[in-house]
PDB file of all heavy atoms in Angstrom:
ATOM      1  N   LEU A   1       1.525 -13.792  -3.951  1.00 98.00           N
ATOM      2  CA  LEU A   1       2.850 -13.725  -4.201  1.00 98.00           C
ATOM      3  C   LEU A   1       3.650 -13.332  -2.940  1.00 98.00           C
ATOM      4  O   LEU A   1       4.738 -13.844  -2.811  1.00 98.00           O
ATOM      5  CB  LEU A   1       3.138 -12.651  -5.302  1.00 98.00           C
ATOM      6  CG  LEU A   1       2.345 -12.873  -6.625  1.00 98.00           C
ATOM      7  CD1 LEU A   1       2.647 -11.792  -7.600  1.00 98.00           C
ATOM      8  CD2 LEU A   1       2.778 -14.225  -7.240  1.00 98.00           C
ATOM      9  N   SER A   2       3.140 -12.323  -2.294  1.00 98.00           N
ATOM     10  CA  SER A   2       4.093 -11.664  -1.191  1.00 98.00           C
ATOM     11  C   SER A   2       3.130 -10.936  -0.272  1.00 98.00           C
ATOM     12  O   SER A   2       2.192 -10.252  -0.637  1.00 98.00           O
ATOM     13  CB  SER A   2       5.034 -10.770  -1.756  1.00 98.00           C
ATOM     14  OG  SER A   2       5.841 -10.279  -0.778  1.00 98.00           O
ATOM     15  N   CYS A   3       3.465 -11.088   1.102  1.00 98.00           N
ATOM     16  CA  CYS A   3       2.694 -10.266   2.101  1.00 98.00           C
ATOM     17  C   CYS A   3       3.670  -9.543   3.038  1.00 98.00           C
ATOM     18  O   CYS A   3       4.770  -9.937   3.241  1.00 98.00           O
ATOM     19  CB  CYS A   3       1.947 -11.303   2.997  1.00 98.00           C
ATOM     20  SG  CYS A   3       0.805 -10.596   4.141  1.00 98.00           S
ATOM     21  N   ILE A   4       3.112  -8.397   3.492  1.00 97.00           N
ATOM     22  CA  ILE A   4       3.869  -7.612   4.438  1.00 97.00           C
ATOM     23  C   ILE A   4       2.942  -7.208   5.588  1.00 97.00           C
ATOM     24  O   ILE A   4       1.804  -6.747   5.354  1.00 97.00           O
ATOM     25  CB  ILE A   4       4.505  -6.372   3.767  1.00 97.00           C
ATOM     26  CG1 ILE A   4       5.404  -5.566   4.687  1.00 97.00           C
ATOM     27  CG2 ILE A   4       3.417  -5.461   3.171  1.00 97.00           C
ATOM     28  CD1 ILE A   4       6.286  -4.582   3.987  1.00 97.00           C
ATOM     29  N   ASN A   5       3.438  -7.347   6.846  1.00 94.00           N
ATOM     30  CA  ASN A   5       2.585  -7.158   8.003  1.00 94.00           C
ATOM     31  C   ASN A   5       2.401  -5.635   8.246  1.00 94.00           C
ATOM     32  O   ASN A   5       3.015  -4.754   7.632  1.00 94.00           O
ATOM     33  CB  ASN A   5       3.066  -7.831   9.186  1.00 94.00           C
ATOM     34  CG  ASN A   5       4.202  -7.163   9.974  1.00 94.00           C
ATOM     35  OD1 ASN A   5       5.112  -6.741   9.318  1.00 94.00           O
ATOM     36  ND2 ASN A   5       4.050  -7.051  11.272  1.00 94.00           N
ATOM     37  N   TRP A   6       1.708  -5.273   9.291  1.00 92.00           N
ATOM     38  CA  TRP A   6       1.241  -3.940   9.489  1.00 92.00           C
ATOM     39  C   TRP A   6       2.368  -2.915   9.655  1.00 92.00           C
ATOM     40  O   TRP A   6       2.187  -1.715   9.283  1.00 92.00           O
ATOM     41  CB  TRP A   6       0.328  -3.857  10.781  1.00 92.00           C
ATOM     42  CG  TRP A   6       0.936  -4.126  12.010  1.00 92.00           C
ATOM     43  CD1 TRP A   6       1.148  -5.287  12.574  1.00 92.00           C
ATOM     44  CD2 TRP A   6       1.450  -3.200  12.968  1.00 92.00           C
ATOM     45  NE1 TRP A   6       1.816  -5.155  13.779  1.00 92.00           N
ATOM     46  CE2 TRP A   6       2.109  -3.809  14.034  1.00 92.00           C
ATOM     47  CE3 TRP A   6       1.474  -1.749  12.902  1.00 92.00           C
ATOM     48  CZ2 TRP A   6       2.629  -3.211  15.179  1.00 92.00           C
ATOM     49  CZ3 TRP A   6       2.112  -1.075  14.008  1.00 92.00           C
ATOM     50  CH2 TRP A   6       2.546  -1.846  15.095  1.00 92.00           C
ATOM     51  N   ASN A   7       3.401  -3.346  10.317  1.00 91.00           N
ATOM     52  CA  ASN A   7       4.459  -2.399  10.559  1.00 91.00           C
ATOM     53  C   ASN A   7       5.751  -2.620   9.700  1.00 91.00           C
ATOM     54  O   ASN A   7       6.797  -2.043   9.886  1.00 91.00           O
ATOM     55  CB  ASN A   7       4.943  -2.412  11.977  1.00 91.00           C
ATOM     56  CG  ASN A   7       5.473  -3.828  12.457  1.00 91.00           C
ATOM     57  OD1 ASN A   7       5.652  -4.717  11.626  1.00 91.00           O
ATOM     58  ND2 ASN A   7       5.741  -3.922  13.764  1.00 91.00           N
ATOM     59  N   GLY A   8       5.610  -3.529   8.651  1.00 94.00           N
ATOM     60  CA  GLY A   8       6.723  -3.907   7.757  1.00 94.00           C
ATOM     61  C   GLY A   8       7.791  -4.697   8.370  1.00 94.00           C
ATOM     62  O   GLY A   8       8.794  -4.953   7.671  1.00 94.00           O
ATOM     63  N   GLN A   9       7.627  -5.278   9.519  1.00 94.00           N
ATOM     64  CA  GLN A   9       8.683  -6.021  10.196  1.00 94.00           C
ATOM     65  C   GLN A   9       8.776  -7.448   9.678  1.00 94.00           C
ATOM     66  O   GLN A   9       9.783  -8.138   9.870  1.00 94.00           O
ATOM     67  CB  GLN A   9       8.465  -6.027  11.712  1.00 94.00           C
ATOM     68  CG  GLN A   9       8.595  -4.747  12.483  1.00 94.00           C
ATOM     69  CD  GLN A   9      10.022  -4.323  12.635  1.00 94.00           C
ATOM     70  OE1 GLN A   9      10.725  -4.083  11.747  1.00 94.00           O
ATOM     71  NE2 GLN A   9      10.346  -4.326  13.961  1.00 94.00           N
ATOM     72  N   ASN A  10       7.732  -7.940   9.041  1.00 96.00           N
ATOM     73  CA  ASN A  10       7.696  -9.347   8.463  1.00 96.00           C
ATOM     74  C   ASN A  10       7.223  -9.364   7.021  1.00 96.00           C
ATOM     75  O   ASN A  10       6.249  -8.673   6.765  1.00 96.00           O
ATOM     76  CB  ASN A  10       6.758 -10.132   9.349  1.00 96.00           C
ATOM     77  CG  ASN A  10       7.251 -10.304  10.800  1.00 96.00           C
ATOM     78  OD1 ASN A  10       6.623  -9.544  11.669  1.00 96.00           O
ATOM     79  ND2 ASN A  10       8.035 -11.039  11.104  1.00 96.00           N
ATOM     80  N   THR A  11       7.946  -9.984   6.237  1.00 97.00           N
ATOM     81  CA  THR A  11       7.553 -10.171   4.827  1.00 97.00           C
ATOM     82  C   THR A  11       7.636 -11.683   4.497  1.00 97.00           C
ATOM     83  O   THR A  11       8.391 -12.394   5.018  1.00 97.00           O
ATOM     84  CB  THR A  11       8.453  -9.441   3.942  1.00 97.00           C
ATOM     85  OG1 THR A  11       9.883  -9.817   4.053  1.00 97.00           O
ATOM     86  CG2 THR A  11       8.397  -7.944   4.206  1.00 97.00           C
ATOM     87  N   TYR A  12       6.779 -12.092   3.424  1.00 97.00           N
ATOM     88  CA  TYR A  12       6.654 -13.370   2.962  1.00 97.00           C
ATOM     89  C   TYR A  12       6.575 -13.511   1.505  1.00 97.00           C
ATOM     90  O   TYR A  12       6.005 -12.595   0.904  1.00 97.00           O
ATOM     91  CB  TYR A  12       5.464 -14.113   3.652  1.00 97.00           C
ATOM     92  CG  TYR A  12       5.375 -14.012   5.183  1.00 97.00           C
ATOM     93  CD1 TYR A  12       4.911 -12.895   5.787  1.00 97.00           C
ATOM     94  CD2 TYR A  12       5.868 -15.041   5.882  1.00 97.00           C
ATOM     95  CE1 TYR A  12       4.946 -12.877   7.176  1.00 97.00           C
ATOM     96  CE2 TYR A  12       5.895 -14.948   7.298  1.00 97.00           C
ATOM     97  CZ  TYR A  12       5.360 -13.797   7.913  1.00 97.00           C
ATOM     98  OH  TYR A  12       5.394 -13.770   9.353  1.00 97.00           O
ATOM     99  N   TYR A  13       7.156 -14.547   0.979  1.00 97.00           N
ATOM    100  CA  TYR A  13       7.210 -14.711  -0.467  1.00 97.00           C
ATOM    101  C   TYR A  13       6.918 -16.141  -0.841  1.00 97.00           C
ATOM    102  O   TYR A  13       7.344 -17.035  -0.149  1.00 97.00           O
ATOM    103  CB  TYR A  13       8.484 -14.376  -1.116  1.00 97.00           C
ATOM    104  CG  TYR A  13       8.870 -12.931  -0.855  1.00 97.00           C
ATOM    105  CD1 TYR A  13       9.630 -12.538   0.343  1.00 97.00           C
ATOM    106  CD2 TYR A  13       8.494 -11.862  -1.720  1.00 97.00           C
ATOM    107  CE1 TYR A  13       9.974 -11.256   0.569  1.00 97.00           C
ATOM    108  CE2 TYR A  13       8.895 -10.539  -1.480  1.00 97.00           C
ATOM    109  CZ  TYR A  13       9.618 -10.296  -0.339  1.00 97.00           C
ATOM    110  OH  TYR A  13      10.060  -8.858  -0.100  1.00 97.00           O
ATOM    111  N   VAL A  14       6.229 -16.414  -1.922  1.00 97.00           N
ATOM    112  CA  VAL A  14       6.152 -17.754  -2.542  1.00 97.00           C
ATOM    113  C   VAL A  14       7.422 -18.017  -3.344  1.00 97.00           C
ATOM    114  O   VAL A  14       8.149 -17.141  -3.681  1.00 97.00           O
ATOM    115  CB  VAL A  14       4.914 -17.947  -3.457  1.00 97.00           C
ATOM    116  CG1 VAL A  14       3.650 -17.914  -2.617  1.00 97.00           C
ATOM    117  CG2 VAL A  14       4.901 -16.964  -4.482  1.00 97.00           C
ATOM    118  N   ASN A  15       7.727 -19.241  -3.474  1.00 97.00           N
ATOM    119  CA  ASN A  15       9.068 -19.602  -4.091  1.00 97.00           C
ATOM    120  C   ASN A  15       9.206 -19.124  -5.464  1.00 97.00           C
ATOM    121  O   ASN A  15      10.322 -18.790  -6.065  1.00 97.00           O
ATOM    122  CB  ASN A  15       9.106 -21.207  -4.130  1.00 97.00           C
ATOM    123  CG  ASN A  15       9.493 -21.719  -2.806  1.00 97.00           C
ATOM    124  OD1 ASN A  15       9.936 -21.018  -1.855  1.00 97.00           O
ATOM    125  ND2 ASN A  15       9.213 -22.951  -2.517  1.00 97.00           N
ATOM    126  N   SER A  16       8.124 -18.937  -6.281  1.00 96.00           N
ATOM    127  CA  SER A  16       8.192 -18.624  -7.634  1.00 96.00           C
ATOM    128  C   SER A  16       8.765 -17.165  -7.838  1.00 96.00           C
ATOM    129  O   SER A  16       9.181 -16.864  -8.904  1.00 96.00           O
ATOM    130  CB  SER A  16       6.837 -18.728  -8.329  1.00 96.00           C
ATOM    131  OG  SER A  16       5.931 -17.991  -7.715  1.00 96.00           O
ATOM    132  N   VAL A  17       8.635 -16.334  -6.784  1.00 98.00           N
ATOM    133  CA  VAL A  17       9.130 -14.911  -6.869  1.00 98.00           C
ATOM    134  C   VAL A  17      10.219 -14.603  -5.879  1.00 98.00           C
ATOM    135  O   VAL A  17      10.768 -13.511  -6.017  1.00 98.00           O
ATOM    136  CB  VAL A  17       7.881 -13.901  -6.663  1.00 98.00           C
ATOM    137  CG1 VAL A  17       6.808 -14.205  -7.755  1.00 98.00           C
ATOM    138  CG2 VAL A  17       7.359 -13.910  -5.284  1.00 98.00           C
ATOM    139  N   LYS A  18      10.582 -15.453  -4.915  1.00 97.00           N
ATOM    140  CA  LYS A  18      11.470 -15.256  -3.955  1.00 97.00           C
ATOM    141  C   LYS A  18      12.891 -15.012  -4.612  1.00 97.00           C
ATOM    142  O   LYS A  18      13.339 -15.720  -5.519  1.00 97.00           O
ATOM    143  CB  LYS A  18      11.598 -16.402  -3.017  1.00 97.00           C
ATOM    144  CG  LYS A  18      12.514 -16.141  -1.844  1.00 97.00           C
ATOM    145  CD  LYS A  18      12.482 -17.282  -0.816  1.00 97.00           C
ATOM    146  CE  LYS A  18      11.123 -17.500  -0.169  1.00 97.00           C
ATOM    147  NZ  LYS A  18      11.077 -18.603   0.822  1.00 97.00           N
ATOM    148  N   GLY A  19      13.543 -13.964  -4.207  1.00 98.00           N
ATOM    149  CA  GLY A  19      14.803 -13.525  -4.888  1.00 98.00           C
ATOM    150  C   GLY A  19      14.612 -12.572  -5.989  1.00 98.00           C
ATOM    151  O   GLY A  19      15.723 -12.000  -6.466  1.00 98.00           O
ATOM    152  N   ARG A  20      13.424 -12.498  -6.607  1.00 98.00           N
ATOM    153  CA  ARG A  20      13.262 -11.615  -7.679  1.00 98.00           C
ATOM    154  C   ARG A  20      12.316 -10.372  -7.381  1.00 98.00           C
ATOM    155  O   ARG A  20      12.583  -9.330  -7.914  1.00 98.00           O
ATOM    156  CB  ARG A  20      12.564 -12.360  -8.853  1.00 98.00           C
ATOM    157  CG  ARG A  20      13.501 -13.404  -9.399  1.00 98.00           C
ATOM    158  CD  ARG A  20      12.829 -14.074 -10.757  1.00 98.00           C
ATOM    159  NE  ARG A  20      11.509 -14.596 -10.577  1.00 98.00           N
ATOM    160  CZ  ARG A  20      10.423 -14.224 -11.136  1.00 98.00           C
ATOM    161  NH1 ARG A  20      10.509 -13.241 -12.094  1.00 98.00           N
ATOM    162  NH2 ARG A  20       9.315 -14.786 -10.933  1.00 98.00           N
ATOM    163  N   PHE A  21      11.294 -10.666  -6.479  1.00 98.00           N
ATOM    164  CA  PHE A  21      10.372  -9.626  -6.200  1.00 98.00           C
ATOM    165  C   PHE A  21      10.632  -9.200  -4.746  1.00 98.00           C
ATOM    166  O   PHE A  21      11.067  -9.975  -3.973  1.00 98.00           O
ATOM    167  CB  PHE A  21       8.935 -10.078  -6.260  1.00 98.00           C
ATOM    168  CG  PHE A  21       8.462 -10.409  -7.655  1.00 98.00           C
ATOM    169  CD1 PHE A  21       9.294 -10.346  -8.756  1.00 98.00           C
ATOM    170  CD2 PHE A  21       7.156 -10.744  -7.857  1.00 98.00           C
ATOM    171  CE1 PHE A  21       8.833 -10.645 -10.030  1.00 98.00           C
ATOM    172  CE2 PHE A  21       6.669 -10.991  -9.089  1.00 98.00           C
ATOM    173  CZ  PHE A  21       7.558 -10.942 -10.225  1.00 98.00           C
ATOM    174  N   THR A  22      10.416  -7.907  -4.396  1.00 98.00           N
ATOM    175  CA  THR A  22      10.560  -7.343  -3.056  1.00 98.00           C
ATOM    176  C   THR A  22       9.364  -6.520  -2.688  1.00 98.00           C
ATOM    177  O   THR A  22       9.033  -5.666  -3.435  1.00 98.00           O
ATOM    178  CB  THR A  22      11.831  -6.558  -2.858  1.00 98.00           C
ATOM    179  OG1 THR A  22      13.101  -7.263  -3.282  1.00 98.00           O
ATOM    180  CG2 THR A  22      12.049  -5.996  -1.503  1.00 98.00           C
ATOM    181  N   ILE A  23       8.821  -6.905  -1.575  1.00 98.00           N
ATOM    182  CA  ILE A  23       7.620  -6.041  -1.015  1.00 98.00           C
ATOM    183  C   ILE A  23       8.097  -5.043   0.109  1.00 98.00           C
ATOM    184  O   ILE A  23       9.014  -5.374   0.842  1.00 98.00           O
ATOM    185  CB  ILE A  23       6.500  -6.955  -0.533  1.00 98.00           C
ATOM    186  CG1 ILE A  23       5.253  -6.136  -0.340  1.00 98.00           C
ATOM    187  CG2 ILE A  23       6.892  -7.678   0.749  1.00 98.00           C
ATOM    188  CD1 ILE A  23       3.988  -7.112   0.024  1.00 98.00           C
ATOM    189  N   SER A  24       7.551  -3.806  -0.010  1.00 98.00           N
ATOM    190  CA  SER A  24       7.841  -2.896   0.994  1.00 98.00           C
ATOM    191  C   SER A  24       6.680  -1.960   1.297  1.00 98.00           C
ATOM    192  O   SER A  24       5.715  -2.023   0.484  1.00 98.00           O
ATOM    193  CB  SER A  24       9.064  -2.006   0.620  1.00 98.00           C
ATOM    194  OG  SER A  24       8.858  -1.359  -0.607  1.00 98.00           O
ATOM    195  N   ARG A  25       6.708  -1.066   2.264  1.00 96.00           N
ATOM    196  CA  ARG A  25       5.650  -0.257   2.555  1.00 96.00           C
ATOM    197  C   ARG A  25       6.124   1.092   3.170  1.00 96.00           C
ATOM    198  O   ARG A  25       7.194   1.083   3.886  1.00 96.00           O
ATOM    199  CB  ARG A  25       4.565  -0.846   3.399  1.00 96.00           C
ATOM    200  CG  ARG A  25       5.006  -1.141   4.903  1.00 96.00           C
ATOM    201  CD  ARG A  25       3.925  -1.948   5.576  1.00 96.00           C
ATOM    202  NE  ARG A  25       2.609  -1.265   5.771  1.00 96.00           N
ATOM    203  CZ  ARG A  25       1.520  -1.806   6.161  1.00 96.00           C
ATOM    204  NH1 ARG A  25       1.377  -3.121   6.280  1.00 96.00           N
ATOM    205  NH2 ARG A  25       0.474  -1.100   6.267  1.00 96.00           N
ATOM    206  N   ASP A  26       5.397   2.117   2.902  1.00 94.00           N
ATOM    207  CA  ASP A  26       5.667   3.372   3.584  1.00 94.00           C
ATOM    208  C   ASP A  26       4.362   3.906   4.193  1.00 94.00           C
ATOM    209  O   ASP A  26       3.451   4.421   3.525  1.00 94.00           O
ATOM    210  CB  ASP A  26       6.196   4.394   2.609  1.00 94.00           C
ATOM    211  CG  ASP A  26       6.593   5.738   3.192  1.00 94.00           C
ATOM    212  OD1 ASP A  26       6.088   6.123   4.299  1.00 94.00           O
ATOM    213  OD2 ASP A  26       7.153   6.518   2.485  1.00 94.00           O
ATOM    214  N   ASN A  27       4.227   3.690   5.554  1.00 91.00           N
ATOM    215  CA  ASN A  27       2.953   3.944   6.141  1.00 91.00           C
ATOM    216  C   ASN A  27       2.631   5.455   6.136  1.00 91.00           C
ATOM    217  O   ASN A  27       1.417   5.851   6.107  1.00 91.00           O
ATOM    218  CB  ASN A  27       2.970   3.470   7.539  1.00 91.00           C
ATOM    219  CG  ASN A  27       2.753   1.971   7.713  1.00 91.00           C
ATOM    220  OD1 ASN A  27       2.568   1.244   6.611  1.00 91.00           O
ATOM    221  ND2 ASN A  27       2.862   1.397   8.787  1.00 91.00           N
ATOM    222  N   ALA A  28       3.588   6.276   6.196  1.00 91.00           N
ATOM    223  CA  ALA A  28       3.409   7.767   6.168  1.00 91.00           C
ATOM    224  C   ALA A  28       2.708   8.168   4.731  1.00 91.00           C
ATOM    225  O   ALA A  28       2.071   9.165   4.728  1.00 91.00           O
ATOM    226  CB  ALA A  28       4.698   8.500   6.268  1.00 91.00           C
ATOM    227  N   LYS A  29       2.986   7.371   3.690  1.00 93.00           N
ATOM    228  CA  LYS A  29       2.356   7.659   2.402  1.00 93.00           C
ATOM    229  C   LYS A  29       1.180   6.677   2.083  1.00 93.00           C
ATOM    230  O   LYS A  29       0.656   6.774   0.958  1.00 93.00           O
ATOM    231  CB  LYS A  29       3.432   7.458   1.283  1.00 93.00           C
ATOM    232  CG  LYS A  29       4.597   8.508   1.405  1.00 93.00           C
ATOM    233  CD  LYS A  29       5.570   8.296   0.288  1.00 93.00           C
ATOM    234  CE  LYS A  29       6.624   9.379   0.328  1.00 93.00           C
ATOM    235  NZ  LYS A  29       7.617   9.203  -0.706  1.00 93.00           N
ATOM    236  N   ASN A  30       0.744   5.889   2.975  1.00 93.00           N
ATOM    237  CA  ASN A  30      -0.318   4.876   2.827  1.00 93.00           C
ATOM    238  C   ASN A  30      -0.118   4.049   1.508  1.00 93.00           C
ATOM    239  O   ASN A  30      -0.998   3.861   0.701  1.00 93.00           O
ATOM    240  CB  ASN A  30      -1.657   5.652   2.717  1.00 93.00           C
ATOM    241  CG  ASN A  30      -2.069   6.079   4.051  1.00 93.00           C
ATOM    242  OD1 ASN A  30      -1.431   5.936   5.050  1.00 93.00           O
ATOM    243  ND2 ASN A  30      -3.346   6.772   4.071  1.00 93.00           N
ATOM    244  N   THR A  31       1.116   3.572   1.400  1.00 95.00           N
ATOM    245  CA  THR A  31       1.544   2.990   0.124  1.00 95.00           C
ATOM    246  C   THR A  31       2.297   1.684   0.331  1.00 95.00           C
ATOM    247  O   THR A  31       3.125   1.605   1.214  1.00 95.00           O
ATOM    248  CB  THR A  31       2.415   3.972  -0.708  1.00 95.00           C
ATOM    249  OG1 THR A  31       1.611   5.023  -1.114  1.00 95.00           O
ATOM    250  CG2 THR A  31       2.866   3.250  -2.022  1.00 95.00           C
ATOM    251  N   VAL A  32       1.970   0.708  -0.537  1.00 96.00           N
ATOM    252  CA  VAL A  32       2.688  -0.668  -0.605  1.00 96.00           C
ATOM    253  C   VAL A  32       3.323  -0.764  -1.862  1.00 96.00           C
ATOM    254  O   VAL A  32       2.720  -0.391  -2.960  1.00 96.00           O
ATOM    255  CB  VAL A  32       1.773  -1.791  -0.264  1.00 96.00           C
ATOM    256  CG1 VAL A  32       2.520  -3.169  -0.329  1.00 96.00           C
ATOM    257  CG2 VAL A  32       1.209  -1.667   1.153  1.00 96.00           C
ATOM    258  N   TYR A  33       4.546  -1.289  -2.047  1.00 98.00           N
ATOM    259  CA  TYR A  33       5.223  -1.396  -3.255  1.00 98.00           C
ATOM    260  C   TYR A  33       5.618  -2.926  -3.558  1.00 98.00           C
ATOM    261  O   TYR A  33       5.656  -3.722  -2.630  1.00 98.00           O
ATOM    262  CB  TYR A  33       6.544  -0.704  -3.263  1.00 98.00           C
ATOM    263  CG  TYR A  33       6.448   0.793  -3.037  1.00 98.00           C
ATOM    264  CD1 TYR A  33       6.624   1.283  -1.724  1.00 98.00           C
ATOM    265  CD2 TYR A  33       6.065   1.741  -3.980  1.00 98.00           C
ATOM    266  CE1 TYR A  33       6.460   2.650  -1.352  1.00 98.00           C
ATOM    267  CE2 TYR A  33       5.966   3.114  -3.775  1.00 98.00           C
ATOM    268  CZ  TYR A  33       6.269   3.493  -2.366  1.00 98.00           C
ATOM    269  OH  TYR A  33       6.123   4.873  -2.099  1.00 98.00           O
ATOM    270  N   LEU A  34       5.673  -3.207  -4.803  1.00 98.00           N
ATOM    271  CA  LEU A  34       6.254  -4.494  -5.240  1.00 98.00           C
ATOM    272  C   LEU A  34       7.299  -4.205  -6.282  1.00 98.00           C
ATOM    273  O   LEU A  34       6.918  -3.901  -7.382  1.00 98.00           O
ATOM    274  CB  LEU A  34       5.086  -5.465  -5.703  1.00 98.00           C
ATOM    275  CG  LEU A  34       5.682  -6.914  -6.043  1.00 98.00           C
ATOM    276  CD1 LEU A  34       5.999  -7.693  -4.759  1.00 98.00           C
ATOM    277  CD2 LEU A  34       4.624  -7.667  -6.821  1.00 98.00           C
TER     278      LEU A  34
END
């Protein structure tokens, strides 16, 4: 569905979720969100 690179600078989405889903990360918390 969605990918985020190591520093959060690049994100990718497939068309079926683009505009509806958002990926993010907080490296200080060792956590990725959708």
Side-chain angles (χ1 to χ4, degrees):
L1 304 176
S2 182
C3 186
I4 187 164
N5 81 312
W6 68 276
N7 62 5
Q9 295 279 71
N10 301 99
T11 58
Y12 304 86
Y13 301 89
V14 294
N15 288 337
S16 61
V17 305
K18 188 177 295 183
R20 298 190 298 124
F21 293 6
T22 302
I23 193 170
S24 61
R25 67 189 293 164
D26 185 342
N27 286 357
K29 296 181 178 180
N30 288 359
T31 299
V32 178
Y33 304 97
L34 186 68

